[in-house]
Amino acid sequence: MTVHTTVTGPLGELLLVGEPTQQGVSLTSLSMPGQRNAPTVHSGWAHDPERFSDVTRQLAAYFAGELTTFDIEFTPSGTDFQQRVWHALEDIPYGTSTTYGELAERLGIGRGRVQALGAAIGANPLLLVRPCHRVIGADGSMRGYAGGVRRKVQLLTHEGALQPALI
């Protein structure tokens, strides 16, 4: 059975999707409005906000600046390569960023496979809680983010990895 709920926050309405567990839910997806390849709610899914109470509490604490690391159960998905890349994303500390090249080097992925690394990052179904937004271009540019580059900048600024723009 698949359950879902939505949470409104600084990034817009987030769609949370998961599988019920005895403790609440195992998260399978966290997506944002306008996100590339975002799931859509199916008629067979149950709307069950209570199952997501711990996830929504952690998201609220993150956006309030009170939480820097999530402790959320995930349902494994993806290929072995994607899982390896996604696990490495979880090791990028809050308030920092890394480049695609640095991440590839850390994983022992040759320069010729950096594009595959980028594709794996782009396929991350757990935006925000698995911090793919912390990976940037070697020149400091904000390369693609499934939730949109504006949101990537917003998240990195929130975490202190970027300074707010002075206008």
Side-chain angles (χ1 to χ4, degrees):
M1 181 167 102
T2 300
V3 293
H4 72 92
T5 195
T6 56
V7 177
T8 302
L11 302 176
E13 188 174 70
L14 305 178
L15 173 62
L16 309 178
V17 180
E19 298 172 351
T21 66
Q22 288 185 338
Q23 295 76 31
V25 70
S26 179
L27 199 63
T28 58
S29 175
L30 187 157
S31 59
M32 303 173 189
Q35 175 184 325
R36 287 189 316 256
N37 302 317
T40 55
V41 176
H42 296 263
S43 61
W45 293 4
H47 183 250
D48 192 351
E50 182 58 33
R51 289 258 180 206
F52 293 91
S53 62
D54 184 56
V55 177
T56 57
R57 180 192 57 74
Q58 289 186 54
L59 288 169
Y62 168 83
F63 286 120
E66 301 164 355
L67 182 74
T68 60
T69 305
F70 292 99
D71 182 19
I72 296 173
E73 183 180 348
F74 304 139
T75 299
S77 66
T79 66
D80 289 343
F81 180 75
Q82 287 173 326
Q83 287 182 29
R84 193 168 143 232
V85 170
W86 297 341
H87 181 71
L89 294 175
E90 295 169 11
D91 293 333
I92 304 169
Y94 178 96
T96 68
S97 62
T98 192
T99 67
Y100 291 91
E102 289 168 348
L103 188 60
E105 186 175 315
R106 195 173 316 142
L107 290 168
I109 297 169
R111 288 261 179 222
R113 301 227 30 223
V114 172
Q115 191 171 11
L117 173 102
I121 293 170
N124 173 18
L126 299 167
L127 294 190
L128 180 63
V129 297
R130 185 183 286 143
C132 54
H133 60 277
R134 296 180 188 154
V135 183
I136 62 174
D139 60 358
S141 62
M142 298 297 115
R143 304 282 182 201
Y145 179 60
V149 171
R150 180 184 60 78
R151 287 190 181 113
K152 182 174 192 165
V153 169
Q154 192 176 357
L155 289 167
L156 290 171
T157 302
H158 169 74
E159 293 181 359
L162 288 179
Q163 294 300 313
L166 298 174
I167 298 176

